[in-house]
Amino acid sequence: MSGKLVVRMAELEIDPDQLEAYRALLAEEIEASVTLEDGVLSLHAVSIKDSPHKIRILEVYASSKAYEVHLRTPHFLKYKSGTAGMVTSLTLVDVEPVMMRAKP
């Protein structure tokens, strides 16, 4: 896929009582997205130390088209519907890469 990279930071807060269930659904969604979608270049999820219910996800897509395709996949829709009652706050922040490197 060609086009300008789409890079986003998702800032989420999860109901602490549902955190483990949320993490399981998130792991399933990330694995499927990276494995099945050529346009999903990377998804990295972390939690804030001492506040494990605060999750941050760095999302990198090959293009805006790849991002739009991602939003319509069965695995993403399953994640969204499955976690709807678990997410208490969601902020999506478009970011510009300064420097990103990873080992293959």
Side-chain angles (χ1 to χ4, degrees):
M1 293 186 181
S2 62
K4 185 178 180 204
L5 288 180
V6 172
V7 184
R8 303 186 96 176
M9 179 69 67
E11 301 174 342
L12 300 100
E13 291 192 24
I14 309 304
D15 174 358
D17 293 334
Q18 301 184 69
L19 186 57
E20 290 311 310
Y22 172 81
R23 285 181 170 212
L25 288 166
L26 177 63
E28 180 182 320
E29 195 279 330
I30 287 176
E31 183 64 31
S33 296
V34 172
T35 301
L36 301 174
E37 297 179 65
D38 290 338
V40 177
L41 302 182
S42 65
L43 295 170
H44 299 281
V46 298
S47 64
I48 304 297
K49 196 172 265 200
D50 299 326
S51 295
H53 68 287
K54 293 182 180 181
I55 306 287
R56 302 298 183 260
I57 305 169
L58 178 63
E59 309 172 15
V60 183
Y61 304 94
S63 65
S64 58
K65 180 179 178 183
Y67 176 68
E68 293 300 322
V69 167
H70 171 70
L71 296 179
R72 294 188 304 271
T73 60
H75 48 270
F76 180 76
L77 295 173
K78 176 184 176 185
Y79 161 79
K80 286 300 281 186
S81 65
T83 62
M86 301 174 183
V87 177
T88 60
S89 174
L90 169 62
T91 303
L92 297 175
V93 181
D94 289 318
V95 297
E96 289 289 333
V98 174
M99 179 62 178
M100 297 191 313
R101 292 281 294 169
K103 292 186 184 236

